[in-house]
Amino acid sequence: MSDWINYYEDNKQTALMRINNMALSTGYSRELNCWVNKYLDPFSVARTIAEVRKESPDPFFRIRMEAEKDLEFTLLRANKRDRSDLDIIFFESNLLLMFNLMLKHIRTA
């Protein structure tokens, strides 16, 4: 397995551990876990890009928009306590950053 894949797999596992160790509501935690498993998994993202490539002239743009939209939808499961924690807001930003870096790496690979 190449080094960059190991790196992104490690990012995914770290994000999942962090979610499980944060004091989040059950629904919000479950939605974040689903998002991470879908968008921080390099194999899943590469497979999705290959599928979308048949339908879209820019599959990278399309999956980026879907990831952002899906992360916003996870907020619907967050309760008031979840949303008042600045750490989770920062964490969500980092999730999106990790996704965009991985997407860039997949694009150039």
Side-chain angles (χ1 to χ4, degrees), residues 46-109:
R47 187 172 38 255
T48 301
I49 289 169
E51 292 169 3
V52 172
R53 189 168 277 171
K54 300 169 191 170
E55 308 165 2
S56 173
D58 190 354
F60 295 94
F61 176 77
R62 183 168 164 188
I63 195 170
R64 184 180 307 114
M65 292 298 105
E66 287 175 7
E68 290 175 6
K69 178 186 68 164
D70 286 354
L71 190 57
E72 288 175 11
F73 279 126
T74 66
L75 297 176
L76 297 176
R77 301 295 295 184
N79 62 28
K80 187 176 181 176
R81 185 178 48 97
D82 293 334
R83 296 310 308 153
S84 64
D85 187 352
L86 291 179
D87 287 340
I88 190 62
I89 295 168
F90 183 68
F91 178 66
E92 289 171 353
S93 298
N94 282 338
L95 289 176
L96 207 50
L97 176 63
M98 286 188 285
F99 168 76
N100 282 313
L101 291 172
M102 183 181 64
L103 193 62
K104 182 179 178 186
H105 200 109
I106 292 172
R107 181 177 230 156
T108 60

Side-chain angles (χ1 to χ4, degrees), residues 31-46:
E31 291 299 318
L32 282 174
N33 274 303
C34 289
W35 191 93
V36 167
N37 282 314
K38 182 175 182 178
Y39 292 107
L40 290 187
D41 183 314
F43 300 108
S44 174
V45 172

